[in-house]
Amino acid sequence: MALRVGVIGGGQLARMMVPPAVHLGLEISVLAETEGSSARLAATQVGDYHDVETVLAFARGVDAITFDHEHVPQTVLRALVDAGVEVHPSPEALFVAQDKLVMRERLSALGLPVPDWARLETAADLDAFLADHGGRVVVKTARGGYDGKGVRVVSSSHEVADWFDGLSDPATGGALLAEELVDFRRELAQSVARRPSGEIVAWPVVESIQRDGVCAEVLAPAPRSTGRIADIAEDIARRVATELGVTGVLAVELFETNDDRILINELAMRPHNTGHWSIDGSTTSQFEQHLRAVLDLPLGDTGTHADWSVMVNVLGGPSDGTMANRLPALMADQPGAKVHDYGKEPRPGRKVGHVTTLGDDLDDVVYRARAAAEFFAG
Ligand code: ADP
């Protein structure tokens, strides 16, 4: 009988798990938040992932439950485990990804390299951190942030007065995170996949270019990633995956500092925007690998098809309709471009798709990917 996987969350990450599930003959079902979700190509049920009964009913009969996002409450995750459901990543691992303060505490306790940080409960805590860190620091909400929402660079506690006011709400975790403003040369990301039985594989470290706190482009592998940088990045991600017992894909966002250190910014315990290039650029995409890992199947080869793979997000979408309207013209112009349309309504800033190009001349590969993404976003 086919193996069955259930995905909680109906966004583009769930959508991109569908093709490899089809290829491998797996049955995939999705618990989506709304009708018409990006993942509607799979057998989809609409329901609230905060509701234990809904999630337990969805999980009935699947071989493993996994996620499109990290927001499922711990009470729901624990209820699944108590009911004997295989949940990957586990509630314990996800707990670390759900709260940036918990993440910083765990990574620091493991001796892994992170920016200087502090837990802030009051404006006085922030004033003290500012005084120790050159008067300009980064403040983050511990929970619920994404795409740069929940991240502010500040020189005074007034600039986050609203966040301090909101801390009485238990959903915030009751504290903010302060970090040194890292002087970085560029941002990198290292993805690995780990099976419950312990096997781990890694893709090459990549460079991610962010605009306004959102991932805009990814270059795979990261240019000029010397042996040392690649080794450090892979080592960090393998350690995080092992020490936190992560199952499935783990993406570690990293800073390469101007004084040549590698620091961990963030962890994502699921396929990640910085790994989308692997659909077209690697023998095993992050989505196929995630399914293999959460079902505890042997992991796939992470070799690459070309010297360079470049992925550019389509943000917002065309002003005159959907990506589909412009697809024929792009296909005629760029037969080698790999287009991924998430089937979402265009909205300013929204990730509605991406384009990946491959080749052996990095400038040319970047040029083609940018041109294609701009064609869809204009
Ligand atoms: P999100 O969870 O919203 O993705 P991140 O914590 O990843 O937020 O931060 C978003 C972006 O903000 C990062 O990609 C980076 O460009 C910038 N950033 C985050 N933390 C720092 C820091 N300590 N120093 C400098 N820039 C930072």
Side-chain angles (χ1 to χ4, degrees):
M1 199 168 79
L3 287 167
R4 286 169 296 181
V5 63
V7 186
I8 300 182
Q12 67 263 25
L13 302 180
R15 179 188 182 94
M16 288 185 270
M17 291 179 205
V18 177
V22 171
H23 298 155
L24 296 174
L26 309 173
E27 280 179 23
I28 185 165
S29 54
V30 169
L31 180 65
E33 296 79 359
T34 54
E35 295 288 349
S37 71
S38 184
R40 61 188 176 274
L41 314 170
T44 304
Q45 184 181 316
V46 174
D48 180 4
Y49 62 78
H50 299 90
D51 183 63
V52 173
E53 292 312 319
T54 301
V55 175
L56 281 173
F58 171 70
R60 210 160 286 137
V62 302
D63 295 292
I65 283 285
T66 190
F67 310 92
D68 162 277
H69 58 73
E70 285 133 349
H71 307 312
V72 179
Q74 283 288 322
T75 45
V76 175
L77 298 172
R78 304 264 169 199
L80 285 169
V81 172
D82 290 346
V85 179
E86 284 286 329
V87 179
H88 296 292
S90 68
E92 294 79 8
L94 275 170
F95 184 65
V96 180
Q98 287 176 330
D99 185 306
K100 289 181 179 175
L101 273 165
V102 174
M103 191 188 293
R104 284 283 174 260
E105 276 158 15
R106 284 295 299 276
L107 295 175
S108 298
L110 291 168
L112 287 160
V114 293
D116 267 354
W117 64 275
R119 179 186 174 89
L120 308 177
E121 286 174 15
T122 64
D125 296 339
L126 176 53
D127 291 337
F129 192 79
L130 276 163
D132 286 346
H133 292 86
R136 233 166 108 73
V137 304
V138 179
V139 180
K140 301 182 179 182
T141 53
R143 298 185 188 168
Y146 66 99
D147 284 351
K149 293 170 187 61
V151 176
R152 288 184 196 161
V153 178
V154 308
S155 330
S156 142
S157 51
H158 301 300
E159 293 169 67
V160 283
D162 53 335
W163 287 355
F164 279 117
D165 287 345
L167 289 182
S168 51
D169 178 350
T172 61
L176 301 172
L177 168 66
E179 288 178 359
E180 66 172 301
L181 181 61
V182 176
D183 178 21
F184 60 81
R185 183 180 295 135
R186 57 180 178 167
E187 294 187 62
L188 303 173
Q190 174 70 60
S191 286
V192 295
R194 181 174 175 277
R195 283 170 75 178
S197 55
E199 186 194 0
I200 301 183
V201 294
W203 285 272
V205 66
V206 302
E207 176 172 347
S208 81
I209 299 160
Q210 314 270 322
R211 277 188 213 114
D212 303 325
V214 181
C215 173
E217 300 180 4
V218 171
L219 315 181
R224 301 173 305 282
S225 50
T226 60
R228 188 187 80 92
I229 288 171
D231 288 351
I232 294 173
E234 184 174 333
D235 226 59
I236 287 173
R238 283 179 178 271
R239 272 203 65 198
V240 172
T242 310
E243 301 276 4
L244 301 183
V246 180
T247 43
V249 168
L250 164 73
V252 183
E253 294 178 30
L254 302 160
F255 297 121
E256 180 184 325
T257 67
N258 275 312
D259 58 1
D260 286 323
R261 289 173 304 143
I262 303 287
L263 302 176
I264 301 176
N265 175 29
E266 267 237 274
L267 308 180
M269 296 181 190
R270 50 173 169 74
H272 189 251
N273 201 163
T274 55
H276 290 356
W277 67 274
S278 63
I279 301 173
D280 303 298
S282 174
T283 303
T284 310
S285 79
Q286 63 167 349
F287 297 99
E288 175 177 341
Q289 201 80 284
H290 188 71
L291 295 173
R292 290 163 79 134
V294 303
L295 290 165
D296 205 11
L297 295 168
L299 300 179
D301 181 73
T302 52
T304 54
H305 296 317
D307 291 351
W308 301 104
S309 302
V310 173
M311 188 260 4
V312 180
N313 278 332
V314 179
L315 295 172
S319 46
D320 58 351
T322 59
M323 283 177 69
N325 299 128
R326 296 197 182 180
L327 191 57
L330 189 280
M331 286 170 155
D333 192 45
Q334 283 216 47
K338 305 304 290 184
V339 176
H340 298 261
D341 179 342
Y342 304 157
K344 303 202 303 196
E345 282 303 312
R347 206 189 290 153
R350 192 177 203 199
K351 290 177 185 169
V352 294
H354 73 263
V355 180
T356 300
T357 52
L358 310 184
D360 53 14
D361 174 349
L362 180 58
D363 287 343
D364 173 63
V365 181
V366 169
Y367 178 83
R368 287 189 281 119
R370 279 187 191 156
E374 276 164 21
F375 182 74
F376 283 119

